Amino acid sequence: MEQISNIEVVPCDSSHYLRPFRVHYSQNGTKKYWDFMRTHDSVSVLIFNTTAHCFILVKQFRPAVYMCEWERNKRKEKGPEEPADVHADPPPASAGVTYELCAGLVDKPHLSLEEIARQEVLEECGYDVPADKLRRITSYRSGVGVTGAKQTLFYVEVSDEDCVGDGGGQPQEGELIEVVKVPQHQALNFAYDESIPKSMGVIFSFMWFHNNMSPKFKISTSV
Amino acid sequence: MEQISNIEVVPCDSSHYLRPFRVHYSQNGTKKYWDFMRTHDSVSVLIFNTTAHCFILVKQFRPAVYMCEWERNKRKEKGPEEPADVHADPPPASAGVTYELCAGLVDKPHLSLEEIARQEVLEECGYDVPADKLRRITSYRSGVGVTGAKQTLFYVEVSDEDCVGDGGGQPQEGELIEVVKVPQHQALNFAYDESIPKSMGVIFSFMWFHNNMSPKFKISTSV
């Protein structure tokens, strides 16, 4: 899918995106500190296309995932006791491509979570649906050690008629997002196939759908 | 539960824990860069006590979650259009206390994932079980934007007889972990109760248990 080349890693003394802060505090009288990063809360959306009976996911190259895979391969090649070989060949780009729910940051304070989710569904996946069609599933804390942000998960049903564009995110912001359809009857196999890199949101929401929505959209499932 | 006081936030120019790197690369011929952080992969474990028919979770004060809650409260109090009030009162410590699966970093290259998980079950929760009792559920990528690390989720059944200590983590490393029992029949209500801050791993694994293990441990569930 992607061609990745000319990879170079450098230390990053001042990142516009990743800015560590340190919080000093006393816990039950004991002085402590913790380094954390400020980040925005986020929304993610499980999209089900009721015309095609499939889930709409997004797929993109994630540099952080890619670097993690590369590091892991280096350690494997050299054996656990030896230092990693920094000159090991980089893995194929596919090692950094992950399947995820349509998602976005909560960075527009005047908009509701539903409205932000609606915009992401349109921008990333090309479906135009009213905000009141978004059903809140639940919320949880992510990256509890580093960011602690709150993620809110929604579910929305779309039809082929709601599709008004190709999606793909905002190329001007460097987004290169591919829209992917996963047929309903393959969803649980997809969720538990560890050879397909994905976020936990995909696995969780597919299972949530199976438990809560399957009776409404009854087809024979393979699991 | 916790008393948190003397909170002070300072910029953190050099963190031993959070070190941003920048990767430069070409994607399909276009030059790009991305800031990311190196981190370890991790394991987490859904622990089910077959004697008491309850799940064993851990609960701890998470400074990153607490700071996130505080920021959100500041914005709410001032209204979305005004700058946040940096002098707003800090929330109660409970705002930063999250319920999580027993978990740990994969930072011992000579140990298998199962063995690392086994050690965490002992250290954090006080149950001593052999590594071959750990059943792999699945794996997924976490923090795809920032760390991209791989998390592997396990399931283990323990009994009261396996309990050899109080757990609680390693106080010498600053860990202050409380072991919490969630009765099986309350698990799904607990999972979807948004007033209880928790990681997605808790929600997902409770649902996984409900789908896959409930027939083995049949009791009347309320959901």
Side-chain angles (χ1 to χ4, degrees):
Chain A
M1 165 203 182
E2 306 292 343
Q3 297 294 328
I4 301 295
S5 55
N6 303 324
I7 304 161
E8 188 191 4
V9 179
V10 295
C12 180
D13 295 331
S14 168
S15 169
H16 180 65
Y17 306 99
L18 308 182
R19 284 175 303 158
F21 288 85
R22 179 165 293 179
V23 54
H24 295 271
Y25 61 101
S26 296
Q27 183 172 16
N28 305 335
T30 304
K31 283 191 179 180
K32 297 185 172 185
Y33 72 88
W34 190 267
D35 296 342
F36 69 103
M37 289 195 318
R38 283 192 176 140
T39 188
H40 290 286
D41 289 342
S42 63
V43 293
S44 56
V45 191
L46 175 66
I47 307 172
F48 184 66
N49 181 319
T50 57
T51 316
H53 277 248
C54 65
F55 297 101
I56 310 294
L57 299 183
V58 295
K59 183 179 162 187
Q60 59 187 310
F61 177 74
R62 291 293 201 174
V65 172
Y66 183 78
M67 296 308 298
C68 235
E69 292 295 313
W70 194 1
E71 287 283 328
R72 197 181 306 110
N73 290 348
K74 284 180 198 167
R75 285 194 300 273
K76 263 190 214 153
E77 280 168 20
K78 294 293 288 183
E81 304 300 340
E82 297 164 82
D85 179 359
V86 292
H87 301 294
D89 284 339
S94 58
V97 173
T98 58
Y99 291 80
E100 301 165 34
L101 295 176
C102 168
L105 296 176
V106 180
D107 55 2
K108 294 163 187 153
H110 57 291
L111 295 184
S112 68
L113 295 181
E114 285 77 5
E115 182 58 35
I116 290 173
R118 189 197 77 80
Q119 289 186 359
E120 293 296 339
V121 171
L122 178 59
E123 285 174 12
E124 292 193 345
C125 301
Y127 290 91
D128 192 7
V129 290
D132 63 11
K133 278 194 71 179
L134 284 140
R135 168 179 167 179
R136 184 184 181 116
I137 297 178
T138 192
S139 67
Y140 40 84
R141 299 305 184 284
S142 65
V144 289
V146 177
T147 65
K150 188 174 183 171
Q151 293 191 329
T152 306
L153 175 62
F154 291 95
Y155 168 68
V156 70
E157 290 168 8
V158 301
S159 70
D160 279 351
E161 286 183 5
D162 299 322
C163 191
V164 298
D166 293 334
Q170 299 185 297
Q172 66 276 23
E173 290 185 11
E175 284 189 327
L176 197 58
I177 291 173
E178 188 181 331
V179 180
V180 176
K181 294 180 177 181
V182 178
Q184 182 187 354
H185 69 279
Q186 292 175 5
L188 287 184
N189 283 337
F190 181 95
Y192 285 105
D193 183 345
E194 290 191 53
S195 71
I196 304 171
K198 63 184 89 64
S199 64
M200 189 196 260
V202 173
I203 311 177
F204 168 66
S205 62
F206 279 11
M207 204 162 66
W208 175 87
F209 181 95
H210 177 77
N211 286 7
N212 295 278
M213 291 292 139
S214 278
K216 186 176 164 188
F217 301 104
K218 212 177 259 177
I219 57 166
S220 62
T221 57
S222 54
V223 176
Chain B
M1 164 204 182
E2 306 293 344
Q3 296 294 329
I4 302 294
S5 55
N6 303 324
I7 303 162
E8 188 192 4
V9 178
V10 295
C12 181
D13 296 330
S14 167
S15 168
H16 180 65
Y17 306 100
L18 306 181
R19 284 175 302 158
F21 287 85
R22 179 165 293 179
V23 54
H24 294 271
Y25 60 102
S26 296
Q27 184 173 17
N28 306 334
T30 304
K31 283 190 178 180
K32 297 184 172 184
Y33 73 88
W34 190 267
D35 296 343
F36 69 102
M37 287 194 320
R38 284 193 176 140
T39 188
H40 289 286
D41 289 342
S42 63
V43 293
S44 56
V45 190
L46 174 65
I47 306 172
F48 184 66
N49 182 319
T50 58
T51 316
H53 277 249
C54 65
F55 297 100
I56 310 293
L57 298 183
V58 294
K59 184 178 162 188
Q60 60 186 311
F61 176 74
R62 292 292 202 173
V65 172
Y66 183 79
M67 296 309 297
C68 235
E69 291 296 312
W70 195 0
E71 287 284 327
R72 197 181 305 112
N73 290 349
K74 284 179 198 168
R75 284 193 301 272
K76 262 189 215 153
E77 279 168 19
K78 295 294 286 183
E81 304 301 338
E82 297 165 85
D85 179 0
V86 291
H87 300 295
D89 284 340
S94 59
V97 173
T98 58
Y99 291 80
E100 302 166 33
L101 295 176
C102 168
L105 296 177
V106 179
D107 55 2
K108 294 162 189 153
H110 57 289
L111 295 184
S112 68
L113 296 181
E114 285 77 4
E115 182 57 33
I116 290 172
R118 189 196 78 80
Q119 290 186 358
E120 294 295 339
V121 171
L122 178 60
E123 285 174 12
E124 292 193 346
C125 300
Y127 290 91
D128 192 6
V129 291
D132 62 11
K133 277 194 72 179
L134 284 139
R135 168 180 167 179
R136 184 184 182 116
I137 297 178
T138 192
S139 67
Y140 40 85
R141 299 306 185 284
S142 65
V144 289
V146 177
T147 65
K150 188 173 183 172
Q151 293 192 329
T152 306
L153 176 61
F154 290 94
Y155 168 68
V156 70
E157 290 168 8
V158 302
S159 71
D160 279 352
E161 287 184 4
D162 299 321
C163 191
V164 297
D166 293 335
Q170 300 184 298
Q172 67 276 23
E173 291 185 10
E175 283 188 328
L176 199 57
I177 291 173
E178 188 182 330
V179 180
V180 176
K181 294 180 177 182
V182 178
Q184 182 187 355
H185 70 278
Q186 292 175 5
L188 288 183
N189 282 337
F190 181 94
Y192 286 105
D193 183 344
E194 291 191 52
S195 72
I196 304 170
K198 64 184 88 67
S199 63
M200 189 195 261
V202 173
I203 312 176
F204 168 66
S205 62
F206 279 11
M207 204 164 63
W208 175 86
F209 181 94
H210 178 76
N211 286 8
N212 295 277
M213 291 292 138
S214 277
K216 185 175 165 189
F217 301 104
K218 213 177 259 177
I219 57 166
S220 61
T221 57
S222 54
V223 175

